Amino acid sequence: MATLPAPCSRHHHHRWLSRPAGRLTRTYASLRASPSPTVGREAAVARMPRLAHRDVMLSLAREAEARLGARLLPSEVPANVAAFSDDEGRALGSVDVRRGAPGSSIDFMLEAWFHRALPGGGAIDITALIVFLNGATDAPHFLMEFIQGGPSSLVVLLDLFPRKDLPLHPDYIDTYYAATGVDAHRRDVHRIPQVRPYVSSSLLVRTLWSPTAVVVDVQCGEEGGEAKLEEIVRGQLTTSAAAVLDVWLERCAGSVVQMEAAERESLVARDKMITTMDVDLNLSANLPKMFSADVSRRVVAEISKAFVGS
């Protein structure tokens, strides 16, 4: 997902002003404690192996949902998309989509949880939290995805996903990236010795991220690597992800920006172009590698309703 082709790891081939420090500290503490998610979400995700990145995503999704509140409509995904499986339980998934309430800036919030045990051993585990905004604002979308291709390896995608071509709009960079301090979190993550940049094979995809995006590959090695990865995820990655989500909730989620009709239409068209590409070139191509064709078609169709309005 996330306009990123499935990653290729060492082991497997598949894929604003922030709150006062005290408030953020409480947020981090609650995330590390991983409070119980809502029953529906918990029931679906509990079927999958427990992983550190999945615990973090559960807590962040719950934080986003709680703070967005009435700006989100109830979920309407069918039961066979809210929880699905394939191959006698070797592949498990859950997708939830909540549309934005009328009059809000929220287009939709999407959660996706995938687990696939591989025939030769090991597994691929993907979790994503994506919240898109509509034409009421030009503020960035929120995007976070974890892709674990082995017990000691993880691809991390975390961004305030830009909705304008940044070289043409330096004021946009100042407002959402420089003034918010989010680049400090990219730098903090890159200081971790086990982290290196993740470079997509798609030249187009590389142009879409903001300059403050955390797009990294965490490789912790074989000996003690699993414990080290969990330490990194529950430490710096949780801190950075919680802070970036907080910036987005404070500065972007409730934003309303006055635009000319033509500018608004161009913005919405750009969003749709990117999401259509994601569905066509990423989801439709890669989900069948984890699930059967019938399951994949059903899930892609439901995600398409959110992404491209089909």
Side-chain angles (χ1 to χ4, degrees):
M1 302 182 71
T3 66
L4 183 77
C8 176
S9 74
R10 291 180 184 270
H11 308 288
H12 307 296
H13 296 268
H14 287 281
R15 200 319 239 124
W16 186 317
L17 305 168
S18 59
R19 293 196 227 173
R23 191 175 174 192
L24 278 175
T25 299
R26 290 193 296 273
T27 297
Y28 302 152
S30 67
L31 289 174
R32 291 194 177 97
S34 190
S36 298
T38 57
V39 173
R41 181 189 294 130
E42 182 180 21
V45 178
R47 299 158 64 232
M48 306 177 192
R50 185 171 184 180
L51 296 169
H53 84 256
R54 199 166 277 144
D55 287 347
V56 172
M57 187 71 82
L58 280 165
S59 296
L60 288 167
R62 191 167 185 257
E63 173 83 358
E65 186 176 63
R67 290 175 60 184
L68 291 173
R71 285 176 285 181
L72 292 173
L73 295 174
S75 172
E76 295 182 354
V77 300
N80 62 2
V81 173
F84 50 92
S85 61
D86 203 16
D87 297 340
E88 298 181 345
R90 292 181 61 85
L92 303 169
S94 174
V95 170
D96 191 27
V97 181
R98 296 186 62 181
R99 302 309 300 249
S104 80
S105 300
I106 306 298
D107 190 3
F108 65 87
M109 171 174 159
L110 181 145
E111 299 173 48
W113 313 81
F114 304 129
H115 165 77
R116 169 80 189 191
L118 301 176
I124 180 76
D125 290 275
I126 303 174
T127 60
L129 175 63
I130 300 169
V131 196
F132 266 45
L133 301 173
N134 58 32
T137 181
D138 62 2
H141 305 309
F142 178 80
L143 184 153
M144 179 170 59
E145 187 167 1
F146 297 127
I147 308 162
Q148 187 161 351
S152 60
S153 65
L154 183 70
V155 171
V156 180
L157 314 172
L158 174 65
D159 198 18
L160 302 184
F161 201 67
R163 300 173 68 197
K164 290 192 172 185
D165 298 313
L166 299 183
L168 302 179
H169 300 277
D171 55 330
Y172 193 91
I173 299 176
D174 290 342
T175 298
Y176 294 112
Y177 302 104
T180 62
V182 290
D183 197 42
H185 303 291
R186 180 195 60 81
R187 294 194 299 269
D188 288 344
V189 170
H190 277 265
R191 291 190 185 103
I192 300 170
Q194 294 81 7
V195 163
R196 62 191 184 192
Y198 176 81
V199 181
S200 170
S201 61
S202 168
L203 297 178
L204 176 60
V205 166
R206 296 184 209 170
T207 71
L208 299 177
W209 301 103
S210 83
T212 66
V214 176
V215 184
V216 299
D217 183 10
V218 187
Q219 293 288 342
C220 295
E222 298 298 328
E223 187 174 350
E226 188 171 355
K228 186 61 182 178
L229 180 62
E230 179 161 353
E231 176 189 332
I232 291 170
V233 171
R234 297 191 186 277
Q236 186 61 59
L237 289 181
T238 294
T239 298
S240 294
V244 174
L245 176 60
D246 185 76
V247 167
W248 185 83
L249 288 165
E250 292 285 334
R251 288 292 299 270
C252 303
S255 171
V256 175
V257 176
Q258 296 299 318
M259 289 179 274
E260 298 290 339
E263 183 183 3
R264 191 183 312 278
E265 290 172 6
S266 177
L267 182 81
V268 171
R270 182 183 186 277
D271 282 346
K272 187 169 184 176
M273 178 193 69
I274 293 171
T275 54
T276 299
M277 178 190 72
D278 192 28
V279 170
D280 291 346
L281 302 183
N282 182 16
L283 277 171
S284 296
N286 290 309
L287 206 59
K289 298 176 183 178
M290 301 183 72
F291 299 94
S292 70
D294 287 344
V295 170
S296 298
R297 278 195 296 268
R298 182 171 73 237
V299 174
V300 169
E302 197 65 32
I303 294 174
S304 292
K305 292 178 183 179
F307 270 29
V308 299
S310 58

mmCIF file with all atom_site columns, all heavy atoms in Angstrom, residues 245-269:
data_model
loop_
_atom_site.group_PDB
_atom_site.id
_atom_site.type_symbol
_atom_site.label_atom_id
_atom_site.label_alt_id
_atom_site.label_comp_id
_atom_site.label_asym_id
_atom_site.label_entity_id
_atom_site.label_seq_id
_atom_site.pdbx_PDB_ins_code
_atom_site.Cartn_x
_atom_site.Cartn_y
_atom_site.Cartn_z
_atom_site.occupancy
_atom_site.B_iso_or_equiv
_atom_site.pdbx_formal_charge
_atom_site.auth_seq_id
_atom_site.auth_comp_id
_atom_site.auth_asym_id
_atom_site.auth_atom_id
_atom_site.pdbx_PDB_model_num
ATOM 1   N N   . LEU A 1 245 ? 2.067   11.667 14.304  1.00 0.00 ? 245 LEU A N   1
ATOM 2   C CA  . LEU A 1 245 ? 0.601   11.593 14.331  1.00 0.00 ? 245 LEU A CA  1
ATOM 3   C C   . LEU A 1 245 ? 0.017   12.770 15.098  1.00 0.00 ? 245 LEU A C   1
ATOM 4   O O   . LEU A 1 245 ? -0.993  13.358 14.681  1.00 0.00 ? 245 LEU A O   1
ATOM 5   C CB  . LEU A 1 245 ? 0.157   10.279 14.973  1.00 0.00 ? 245 LEU A CB  1
ATOM 6   C CG  . LEU A 1 245 ? -1.360  10.108 15.149  1.00 0.00 ? 245 LEU A CG  1
ATOM 7   C CD1 . LEU A 1 245 ? -2.087  10.156 13.803  1.00 0.00 ? 245 LEU A CD1 1
ATOM 8   C CD2 . LEU A 1 245 ? -1.679  8.802  15.891  1.00 0.00 ? 245 LEU A CD2 1
ATOM 9   N N   . ASP A 1 246 ? 0.637   13.146 16.209  1.00 0.00 ? 246 ASP A N   1
ATOM 10  C CA  . ASP A 1 246 ? 0.163   14.277 17.005  1.00 0.00 ? 246 ASP A CA  1
ATOM 11  C C   . ASP A 1 246 ? 0.197   15.570 16.194  1.00 0.00 ? 246 ASP A C   1
ATOM 12  O O   . ASP A 1 246 ? -0.745  16.364 16.225  1.00 0.00 ? 246 ASP A O   1
ATOM 13  C CB  . ASP A 1 246 ? 1.023   14.418 18.265  1.00 0.00 ? 246 ASP A CB  1
ATOM 14  C CG  . ASP A 1 246 ? 0.496   15.498 19.192  1.00 0.00 ? 246 ASP A CG  1
ATOM 15  O OD1 . ASP A 1 246 ? -0.513  15.232 19.873  1.00 0.00 ? 246 ASP A OD1 1
ATOM 16  O OD2 . ASP A 1 246 ? 1.061   16.609 19.213  1.00 0.00 ? 246 ASP A OD2 1
ATOM 17  N N   . VAL A 1 247 ? 1.274   15.791 15.457  1.00 0.00 ? 247 VAL A N   1
ATOM 18  C CA  . VAL A 1 247 ? 1.378   16.961 14.581  1.00 0.00 ? 247 VAL A CA  1
ATOM 19  C C   . VAL A 1 247 ? 0.240   16.957 13.565  1.00 0.00 ? 247 VAL A C   1
ATOM 20  O O   . VAL A 1 247 ? -0.429  17.976 13.348  1.00 0.00 ? 247 VAL A O   1
ATOM 21  C CB  . VAL A 1 247 ? 2.740   16.986 13.851  1.00 0.00 ? 247 VAL A CB  1
ATOM 22  C CG1 . VAL A 1 247 ? 2.724   18.001 12.712  1.00 0.00 ? 247 VAL A CG1 1
ATOM 23  C CG2 . VAL A 1 247 ? 3.866   17.319 14.829  1.00 0.00 ? 247 VAL A CG2 1
ATOM 24  N N   . TRP A 1 248 ? 0.010   15.797 12.970  1.00 0.00 ? 248 TRP A N   1
ATOM 25  C CA  . TRP A 1 248 ? -1.045  15.725 11.951  1.00 0.00 ? 248 TRP A CA  1
ATOM 26  C C   . TRP A 1 248 ? -2.421  16.000 12.561  1.00 0.00 ? 248 TRP A C   1
ATOM 27  O O   . TRP A 1 248 ? -3.230  16.743 11.990  1.00 0.00 ? 248 TRP A O   1
ATOM 28  C CB  . TRP A 1 248 ? -1.031  14.356 11.277  1.00 0.00 ? 248 TRP A CB  1
ATOM 29  C CG  . TRP A 1 248 ? -2.016  14.274 10.152  1.00 0.00 ? 248 TRP A CG  1
ATOM 30  C CD1 . TRP A 1 248 ? -1.840  14.699 8.871   1.00 0.00 ? 248 TRP A CD1 1
ATOM 31  C CD2 . TRP A 1 248 ? -3.359  13.784 10.238  1.00 0.00 ? 248 TRP A CD2 1
ATOM 32  N NE1 . TRP A 1 248 ? -2.989  14.505 8.143   1.00 0.00 ? 248 TRP A NE1 1
ATOM 33  C CE2 . TRP A 1 248 ? -3.928  13.944 8.955   1.00 0.00 ? 248 TRP A CE2 1
ATOM 34  C CE3 . TRP A 1 248 ? -4.110  13.228 11.257  1.00 0.00 ? 248 TRP A CE3 1
ATOM 35  C CZ2 . TRP A 1 248 ? -5.246  13.554 8.683   1.00 0.00 ? 248 TRP A CZ2 1
ATOM 36  C CZ3 . TRP A 1 248 ? -5.415  12.843 10.989  1.00 0.00 ? 248 TRP A CZ3 1
ATOM 37  C CH2 . TRP A 1 248 ? -5.977  13.005 9.712   1.00 0.00 ? 248 TRP A CH2 1
ATOM 38  N N   . LEU A 1 249 ? -2.706  15.425 13.714  1.00 0.00 ? 249 LEU A N   1
ATOM 39  C CA  . LEU A 1 249 ? -4.001  15.635 14.364  1.00 0.00 ? 249 LEU A CA  1
ATOM 40  C C   . LEU A 1 249 ? -4.191  17.092 14.781  1.00 0.00 ? 249 LEU A C   1
ATOM 41  O O   . LEU A 1 249 ? -5.302  17.634 14.694  1.00 0.00 ? 249 LEU A O   1
ATOM 42  C CB  . LEU A 1 249 ? -4.123  14.715 15.579  1.00 0.00 ? 249 LEU A CB  1
ATOM 43  C CG  . LEU A 1 249 ? -4.312  13.229 15.254  1.00 0.00 ? 249 LEU A CG  1
ATOM 44  C CD1 . LEU A 1 249 ? -4.059  12.375 16.490  1.00 0.00 ? 249 LEU A CD1 1
ATOM 45  C CD2 . LEU A 1 249 ? -5.701  12.955 14.687  1.00 0.00 ? 249 LEU A CD2 1
ATOM 46  N N   . GLU A 1 250 ? -3.116  17.743 15.247  1.00 0.00 ? 250 GLU A N   1
ATOM 47  C CA  . GLU A 1 250 ? -3.201  19.132 15.702  1.00 0.00 ? 250 GLU A CA  1
ATOM 48  C C   . GLU A 1 250 ? -3.267  20.126 14.554  1.00 0.00 ? 250 GLU A C   1
ATOM 49  O O   . GLU A 1 250 ? -3.998  21.111 14.605  1.00 0.00 ? 250 GLU A O   1
ATOM 50  C CB  . GLU A 1 250 ? -1.995  19.464 16.590  1.00 0.00 ? 250 GLU A CB  1
ATOM 51  C CG  . GLU A 1 250 ? -1.984  18.746 17.932  1.00 0.00 ? 250 GLU A CG  1
ATOM 52  C CD  . GLU A 1 250 ? -2.980  19.337 18.905  1.00 0.00 ? 250 GLU A CD  1
ATOM 53  O OE1 . GLU A 1 250 ? -3.304  20.535 18.777  1.00 0.00 ? 250 GLU A OE1 1
ATOM 54  O OE2 . GLU A 1 250 ? -3.435  18.594 19.794  1.00 0.00 ? 250 GLU A OE2 1
ATOM 55  N N   . ARG A 1 251 ? -2.486  19.890 13.497  1.00 0.00 ? 251 ARG A N   1
ATOM 56  C CA  . ARG A 1 251 ? -2.305  20.904 12.470  1.00 0.00 ? 251 ARG A CA  1
ATOM 57  C C   . ARG A 1 251 ? -3.002  20.615 11.141  1.00 0.00 ? 251 ARG A C   1
ATOM 58  O O   . ARG A 1 251 ? -3.197  21.528 10.346  1.00 0.00 ? 251 ARG A O   1
ATOM 59  C CB  . ARG A 1 251 ? -0.805  21.089 12.186  1.00 0.00 ? 251 ARG A CB  1
ATOM 60  C CG  . ARG A 1 251 ? -0.056  21.807 13.295  1.00 0.00 ? 251 ARG A CG  1
ATOM 61  C CD  . ARG A 1 251 ? -0.485  23.275 13.412  1.00 0.00 ? 251 ARG A CD  1
ATOM 62  N NE  . ARG A 1 251 ? -0.219  24.018 12.201  1.00 0.00 ? 251 ARG A NE  1
ATOM 63  C CZ  . ARG A 1 251 ? 0.914   24.664 11.944  1.00 0.00 ? 251 ARG A CZ  1
ATOM 64  N NH1 . ARG A 1 251 ? 1.887   24.649 12.833  1.00 0.00 ? 251 ARG A NH1 1
ATOM 65  N NH2 . ARG A 1 251 ? 1.079   25.328 10.819  1.00 0.00 ? 251 ARG A NH2 1
ATOM 66  N N   . CYS A 1 252 ? -3.335  19.383 10.888  1.00 0.00 ? 252 CYS A N   1
ATOM 67  C CA  . CYS A 1 252 ? -3.854  19.014 9.574   1.00 0.00 ? 252 CYS A CA  1
ATOM 68  C C   . CYS A 1 252 ? -5.292  18.514 9.596   1.00 0.00 ? 252 CYS A C   1
ATOM 69  O O   . CYS A 1 252 ? -6.096  18.881 8.741   1.00 0.00 ? 252 CYS A O   1
ATOM 70  C CB  . CYS A 1 252 ? -2.964  17.938 8.951   1.00 0.00 ? 252 CYS A CB  1
ATOM 71  S SG  . CYS A 1 252 ? -1.227  18.387 8.795   1.00 0.00 ? 252 CYS A SG  1
ATOM 72  N N   . ALA A 1 253 ? -5.631  17.670 10.553  1.00 0.00 ? 253 ALA A N   1
ATOM 73  C CA  . ALA A 1 253 ? -6.900  16.954 10.518  1.00 0.00 ? 253 ALA A CA  1
ATOM 74  C C   . ALA A 1 253 ? -8.120  17.859 10.516  1.00 0.00 ? 253 ALA A C   1
ATOM 75  O O   . ALA A 1 253 ? -9.140  17.534 9.897   1.00 0.00 ? 253 ALA A O   1
ATOM 76  C CB  . ALA A 1 253 ? -6.982  15.988 11.697  1.00 0.00 ? 253 ALA A CB  1
ATOM 77  N N   . GLY A 1 254 ? -8.054  18.997 11.210  1.00 0.00 ? 254 GLY A N   1
ATOM 78  C CA  . GLY A 1 254 ? -9.194  19.897 11.268  1.00 0.00 ? 254 GLY A CA  1
ATOM 79  C C   . GLY A 1 254 ? -9.032  21.125 10.401  1.00 0.00 ? 254 GLY A C   1
ATOM 80  O O   . GLY A 1 254 ? -9.816  22.079 10.486  1.00 0.00 ? 254 GLY A O   1
ATOM 81  N N   . SER A 1 255 ? -8.031  21.099 9.546   1.00 0.00 ? 255 SER A N   1
ATOM 82  C CA  . SER A 1 255 ? -7.701  22.273 8.729   1.00 0.00 ? 255 SER A CA  1
ATOM 83  C C   . SER A 1 255 ? -8.768  22.545 7.669   1.00 0.00 ? 255 SER A C   1
ATOM 84  O O   . SER A 1 255 ? -9.306  21.633 7.053   1.00 0.00 ? 255 SER A O   1
ATOM 85  C CB  . SER A 1 255 ? -6.351  22.031 8.040   1.00 0.00 ? 255 SER A CB  1
ATOM 86  O OG  . SER A 1 255 ? -6.076  23.031 7.098   1.00 0.00 ? 255 SER A OG  1
ATOM 87  N N   . VAL A 1 256 ? -9.057  23.828 7.466   1.00 0.00 ? 256 VAL A N   1
ATOM 88  C CA  . VAL A 1 256 ? -9.887  24.280 6.353   1.00 0.00 ? 256 VAL A CA  1
ATOM 89  C C   . VAL A 1 256 ? -9.137  25.409 5.659   1.00 0.00 ? 256 VAL A C   1
ATOM 90  O O   . VAL A 1 256 ? -8.689  26.356 6.308   1.00 0.00 ? 256 VAL A O   1
ATOM 91  C CB  . VAL A 1 256 ? -11.274 24.776 6.819   1.00 0.00 ? 256 VAL A CB  1
ATOM 92  C CG1 . VAL A 1 256 ? -12.059 25.354 5.654   1.00 0.00 ? 256 VAL A CG1 1
ATOM 93  C CG2 . VAL A 1 256 ? -12.052 23.645 7.482   1.00 0.00 ? 256 VAL A CG2 1
ATOM 94  N N   . VAL A 1 257 ? -8.945  25.286 4.372   1.00 0.00 ? 257 VAL A N   1
ATOM 95  C CA  . VAL A 1 257 ? -8.155  26.256 3.606   1.00 0.00 ? 257 VAL A CA  1
ATOM 96  C C   . VAL A 1 257 ? -9.001  26.812 2.471   1.00 0.00 ? 257 VAL A C   1
ATOM 97  O O   . VAL A 1 257 ? -9.633  26.052 1.725   1.00 0.00 ? 257 VAL A O   1
ATOM 98  C CB  . VAL A 1 257 ? -6.885  25.592 3.039   1.00 0.00 ? 257 VAL A CB  1
ATOM 99  C CG1 . VAL A 1 257 ? -6.116  26.564 2.153   1.00 0.00 ? 257 VAL A CG1 1
ATOM 100 C CG2 . VAL A 1 257 ? -5.997  25.096 4.176   1.00 0.00 ? 257 VAL A CG2 1
ATOM 101 N N   . GLN A 1 258 ? -9.025  28.129 2.360   1.00 0.00 ? 258 GLN A N   1
ATOM 102 C CA  . GLN A 1 258 ? -9.758  28.769 1.272   1.00 0.00 ? 258 GLN A CA  1
ATOM 103 C C   . GLN A 1 258 ? -8.987  28.602 -0.031  1.00 0.00 ? 258 GLN A C   1
ATOM 104 O O   . GLN A 1 258 ? -7.807  28.916 -0.113  1.00 0.00 ? 258 GLN A O   1
ATOM 105 C CB  . GLN A 1 258 ? -9.972  30.257 1.559   1.00 0.00 ? 258 GLN A CB  1
ATOM 106 C CG  . GLN A 1 258 ? -10.833 30.542 2.783   1.00 0.00 ? 258 GLN A CG  1
ATOM 107 C CD  . GLN A 1 258 ? -12.236 29.969 2.650   1.00 0.00 ? 258 GLN A CD  1
ATOM 108 O OE1 . GLN A 1 258 ? -12.867 30.060 1.590   1.00 0.00 ? 258 GLN A OE1 1
ATOM 109 N NE2 . GLN A 1 258 ? -12.721 29.373 3.726   1.00 0.00 ? 258 GLN A NE2 1
ATOM 110 N N   . MET A 1 259 ? -9.637  28.080 -1.045  1.00 0.00 ? 259 MET A N   1
ATOM 111 C CA  . MET A 1 259 ? -9.007  27.875 -2.349  1.00 0.00 ? 259 MET A CA  1
ATOM 112 C C   . MET A 1 259 ? -9.963  28.269 -3.457  1.00 0.00 ? 259 MET A C   1
ATOM 113 O O   . MET A 1 259 ? -11.188 28.177 -3.300  1.00 0.00 ? 259 MET A O   1
ATOM 114 C CB  . MET A 1 259 ? -8.625  26.399 -2.534  1.00 0.00 ? 259 MET A CB  1
ATOM 115 C CG  . MET A 1 259 ? -7.481  25.908 -1.686  1.00 0.00 ? 259 MET A CG  1
ATOM 116 S SD  . MET A 1 259 ? -7.144  24.146 -1.992  1.00 0.00 ? 259 MET A SD  1
ATOM 117 C CE  . MET A 1 259 ? -8.326  23.396 -0.858  1.00 0.00 ? 259 MET A CE  1
ATOM 118 N N   . GLU A 1 260 ? -9.403  28.694 -4.571  1.00 0.00 ? 260 GLU A N   1
ATOM 119 C CA  . GLU A 1 260 ? -10.213 28.885 -5.768  1.00 0.00 ? 260 GLU A CA  1
ATOM 120 C C   . GLU A 1 260 ? -10.716 27.524 -6.243  1.00 0.00 ? 260 GLU A C   1
ATOM 121 O O   . GLU A 1 260 ? -10.088 26.491 -5.998  1.00 0.00 ? 260 GLU A O   1
ATOM 122 C CB  . GLU A 1 260 ? -9.379  29.534 -6.870  1.00 0.00 ? 260 GLU A CB  1
ATOM 123 C CG  . GLU A 1 260 ? -8.845  30.918 -6.534  1.00 0.00 ? 260 GLU A CG  1
ATOM 124 C CD  . GLU A 1 260 ? -9.950  31.983 -6.472  1.00 0.00 ? 260 GLU A CD  1
ATOM 125 O OE1 . GLU A 1 260 ? -11.032 31.722 -7.070  1.00 0.00 ? 260 GLU A OE1 1
ATOM 126 O OE2 . GLU A 1 260 ? -9.739  33.026 -5.838  1.00 0.00 ? 260 GLU A OE2 1
ATOM 127 N N   . ALA A 1 261 ? -11.848 27.530 -6.939  1.00 0.00 ? 261 ALA A N   1
ATOM 128 C CA  . ALA A 1 261 ? -12.447 26.276 -7.386  1.00 0.00 ? 261 ALA A CA  1
ATOM 129 C C   . ALA A 1 261 ? -11.485 25.466 -8.237  1.00 0.00 ? 261 ALA A C   1
ATOM 130 O O   . ALA A 1 261 ? -11.362 24.240 -8.071  1.00 0.00 ? 261 ALA A O   1
ATOM 131 C CB  . ALA A 1 261 ? -13.738 26.558 -8.152  1.00 0.00 ? 261 ALA A CB  1
ATOM 132 N N   . ALA A 1 262 ? -10.760 26.144 -9.126  1.00 0.00 ? 262 ALA A N   1
ATOM 133 C CA  . ALA A 1 262 ? -9.831  25.431 -10.007 1.00 0.00 ? 262 ALA A CA  1
ATOM 134 C C   . ALA A 1 262 ? -8.697  24.794 -9.210  1.00 0.00 ? 262 ALA A C   1
ATOM 135 O O   . ALA A 1 262 ? -8.263  23.668 -9.514  1.00 0.00 ? 262 ALA A O   1
ATOM 136 C CB  . ALA A 1 262 ? -9.271  26.382 -11.064 1.00 0.00 ? 262 ALA A CB  1
ATOM 137 N N   . GLU A 1 263 ? -8.220  25.496 -8.187  1.00 0.00 ? 263 GLU A N   1
ATOM 138 C CA  . GLU A 1 263 ? -7.147  24.955 -7.351  1.00 0.00 ? 263 GLU A CA  1
ATOM 139 C C   . GLU A 1 263 ? -7.630  23.727 -6.589  1.00 0.00 ? 263 GLU A C   1
ATOM 140 O O   . GLU A 1 263 ? -6.921  22.723 -6.491  1.00 0.00 ? 263 GLU A O   1
ATOM 141 C CB  . GLU A 1 263 ? -6.650  26.025 -6.379  1.00 0.00 ? 263 GLU A CB  1
ATOM 142 C CG  . GLU A 1 263 ? -5.496  25.584 -5.509  1.00 0.00 ? 263 GLU A CG  1
ATOM 143 C CD  . GLU A 1 263 ? -5.060  26.641 -4.505  1.00 0.00 ? 263 GLU A CD  1
ATOM 144 O OE1 . GLU A 1 263 ? -5.704  27.714 -4.436  1.00 0.00 ? 263 GLU A OE1 1
ATOM 145 O OE2 . GLU A 1 263 ? -4.068  26.375 -3.784  1.00 0.00 ? 263 GLU A OE2 1
ATOM 146 N N   . ARG A 1 264 ? -8.856  23.825 -6.076  1.00 0.00 ? 264 ARG A N   1
ATOM 147 C CA  . ARG A 1 264 ? -9.412  22.689 -5.337  1.00 0.00 ? 264 ARG A CA  1
ATOM 148 C C   . ARG A 1 264 ? -9.584  21.471 -6.251  1.00 0.00 ? 264 ARG A C   1
ATOM 149 O O   . ARG A 1 264 ? -9.262  20.344 -5.882  1.00 0.00 ? 264 ARG A O   1
ATOM 150 C CB  . ARG A 1 264 ? -10.748 23.089 -4.717  1.00 0.00 ? 264 ARG A CB  1
ATOM 151 C CG  . ARG A 1 264 ? -11.295 22.084 -3.715  1.00 0.00 ? 264 ARG A CG  1
ATOM 152 C CD  . ARG A 1 264 ? -12.656 22.512 -3.185  1.00 0.00 ? 264 ARG A CD  1
ATOM 153 N NE  . ARG A 1 264 ? -12.675 23.897 -2.752  1.00 0.00 ? 264 ARG A NE  1
ATOM 154 C CZ  . ARG A 1 264 ? -12.239 24.323 -1.574  1.00 0.00 ? 264 ARG A CZ  1
ATOM 155 N NH1 . ARG A 1 264 ? -11.749 23.451 -0.722  1.00 0.00 ? 264 ARG A NH1 1
ATOM 156 N NH2 . ARG A 1 264 ? -12.303 25.604 -1.261  1.00 0.00 ? 264 ARG A NH2 1
ATOM 157 N N   . GLU A 1 265 ? -10.090 21.730 -7.446  1.00 0.00 ? 265 GLU A N   1
ATOM 158 C CA  . GLU A 1 265 ? -10.287 20.629 -8.388  1.00 0.00 ? 265 GLU A CA  1
ATOM 159 C C   . GLU A 1 265 ? -8.959  19.968 -8.747  1.00 0.00 ? 265 GLU A C   1
ATOM 160 O O   . GLU A 1 265 ? -8.865  18.743 -8.854  1.00 0.00 ? 265 GLU A O   1
ATOM 161 C CB  . GLU A 1 265 ? -10.990 21.143 -9.646  1.00 0.00 ? 265 GLU A CB  1
ATOM 162 C CG  . GLU A 1 265 ? -12.450 21.523 -9.418  1.00 0.00 ? 265 GLU A CG  1
ATOM 163 C CD  . GLU A 1 265 ? -13.067 22.219 -10.625 1.00 0.00 ? 265 GLU A CD  1
ATOM 164 O OE1 . GLU A 1 265 ? -12.374 22.304 -11.677 1.00 0.00 ? 265 GLU A OE1 1
ATOM 165 O OE2 . GLU A 1 265 ? -14.224 22.672 -10.528 1.00 0.00 ? 265 GLU A OE2 1
ATOM 166 N N   . SER A 1 266 ? -7.919  20.782 -8.935  1.00 0.00 ? 266 SER A N   1
ATOM 167 C CA  . SER A 1 266 ? -6.600  20.243 -9.255  1.00 0.00 ? 266 SER A CA  1
ATOM 168 C C   . SER A 1 266 ? -6.048  19.406 -8.108  1.00 0.00 ? 266 SER A C   1
ATOM 169 O O   . SER A 1 266 ? -5.458  18.338 -8.321  1.00 0.00 ? 266 SER A O   1
ATOM 170 C CB  . SER A 1 266 ? -5.644  21.399 -9.582  1.00 0.00 ? 266 SER A CB  1
ATOM 171 O OG  . SER A 1 266 ? -4.340  20.925 -9.824  1.00 0.00 ? 266 SER A OG  1
ATOM 172 N N   . LEU A 1 267 ? -6.263  19.880 -6.875  1.00 0.00 ? 267 LEU A N   1
ATOM 173 C CA  . LEU A 1 267 ? -5.796  19.152 -5.693  1.00 0.00 ? 267 LEU A CA  1
ATOM 174 C C   . LEU A 1 267 ? -6.462  17.788 -5.595  1.00 0.00 ? 267 LEU A C   1
ATOM 175 O O   . LEU A 1 267 ? -5.795  16.762 -5.392  1.00 0.00 ? 267 LEU A O   1
ATOM 176 C CB  . LEU A 1 267 ? -6.084  19.980 -4.449  1.00 0.00 ? 267 LEU A CB  1
ATOM 177 C CG  . LEU A 1 267 ? -5.623  19.419 -3.109  1.00 0.00 ? 267 LEU A CG  1
ATOM 178 C CD1 . LEU A 1 267 ? -4.139  19.696 -2.908  1.00 0.00 ? 267 LEU A CD1 1
ATOM 179 C CD2 . LEU A 1 267 ? -6.434  20.029 -1.958  1.00 0.00 ? 267 LEU A CD2 1
ATOM 180 N N   . VAL A 1 268 ? -7.777  17.778 -5.751  1.00 0.00 ? 268 VAL A N   1
ATOM 181 C CA  . VAL A 1 268 ? -8.521  16.522 -5.646  1.00 0.00 ? 268 VAL A CA  1
ATOM 182 C C   . VAL A 1 268 ? -8.128  15.575 -6.776  1.00 0.00 ? 268 VAL A C   1
ATOM 183 O O   . VAL A 1 268 ? -7.973  14.361 -6.568  1.00 0.00 ? 268 VAL A O   1
ATOM 184 C CB  . VAL A 1 268 ? -10.033 16.808 -5.647  1.00 0.00 ? 268 VAL A CB  1
ATOM 185 C CG1 . VAL A 1 268 ? -10.836 15.514 -5.756  1.00 0.00 ? 268 VAL A CG1 1
ATOM 186 C CG2 . VAL A 1 268 ? -10.429 17.574 -4.387  1.00 0.00 ? 268 VAL A CG2 1
ATOM 187 N N   . ALA A 1 269 ? -7.932  16.133 -7.973  1.00 0.00 ? 269 ALA A N   1
ATOM 188 C CA  . ALA A 1 269 ? -7.529  15.291 -9.103  1.00 0.00 ? 269 ALA A CA  1
ATOM 189 C C   . ALA A 1 269 ? -6.153  14.681 -8.877  1.00 0.00 ? 269 ALA A C   1
ATOM 190 O O   . ALA A 1 269 ? -5.902  13.515 -9.219  1.00 0.00 ? 269 ALA A O   1
ATOM 191 C CB  . ALA A 1 269 ? -7.539  16.111 -10.388 1.00 0.00 ? 269 ALA A CB  1
#
